[in-house]
Amino acid sequence: MAELTIINIAMIPKRISIHGNENALTNMKPEAPQTKLLEKRLKAARIGADILLAQWTGKELDVSKADLMEVKKVLEGLLITLPSFLEKSKAGSGQRTYIKRRIKAYKVAVFYIEDFIESDE
């Protein structure tokens, strides 16, 4: 039961991130400068969520090593920027809780990505 709670808590930021990026992409022009960045972040969020689920449920992960390395780079970049948003958020706010969970989920995803990359070598 505790493991299920951990999975749900870690997956919430991923699902929200995926949904938010999908909505943003639908409202952007294809030639907009931020489109490529948003597409990379969306791909990273999806693969990150798949990695967490694969790790916790014991299912196989069908992702190339190149994709894993790209996702790791994107998530590590987000981990650099997220603490500045955390500092700006109000203590006890829902936004602060969301950012903290997002940071934890990304850290766990990066950890497992490194594990998948090493096991593939």
Side-chain angles (χ1 to χ4, degrees):
M1 184 68 175
E3 187 175 316
L4 183 60
T5 304
I6 292 169
I7 292 171
N8 288 337
I9 289 172
M11 292 303 296
I12 289 169
K14 291 282 188 194
R15 289 185 185 131
I16 292 171
S17 179
I18 290 168
H19 183 69
N21 286 339
E22 287 172 341
N23 284 341
L25 266 178
T26 59
N27 295 320
M28 289 180 107
K29 295 180 181 176
E31 66 276 358
Q34 294 298 322
T35 303
K36 287 237 184 260
L37 175 64
L38 198 54
E39 287 171 345
K40 281 185 178 183
R41 287 181 176 177
L42 180 57
K43 180 179 178 180
R46 285 179 176 152
I47 292 175
D50 290 345
I51 286 168
L52 292 174
L53 283 174
Q55 186 64 31
W56 290 325
T57 61
K59 293 184 180 177
E60 282 288 315
L61 181 67
D62 186 29
V63 180
S64 72
K65 186 175 179 179
D67 280 345
L68 288 174
M69 293 175 79
E70 179 185 343
V71 167
K72 181 178 180 267
K73 184 178 176 180
V74 170
L75 292 179
E76 286 174 335
L78 289 170
L79 282 169
I80 292 169
T81 62
L82 284 173
S84 66
F85 291 106
L86 189 60
E87 290 173 10
K88 295 174 188 175
S89 63
K90 292 182 183 179
S93 69
Q95 180 185 20
R96 188 173 188 87
T97 302
Y98 167 74
I99 294 169
K100 284 181 179 179
R101 288 180 179 171
R102 192 173 187 183
I103 290 170
K104 285 180 187 177
Y106 286 168
K107 284 181 179 179
V108 171
V110 167
F111 173 81
Y112 287 136
I113 288 169
E114 290 170 349
D115 193 45
F116 277 105
I117 290 172
E118 288 176 13
S119 69
D120 194 38
E121 293 177 349

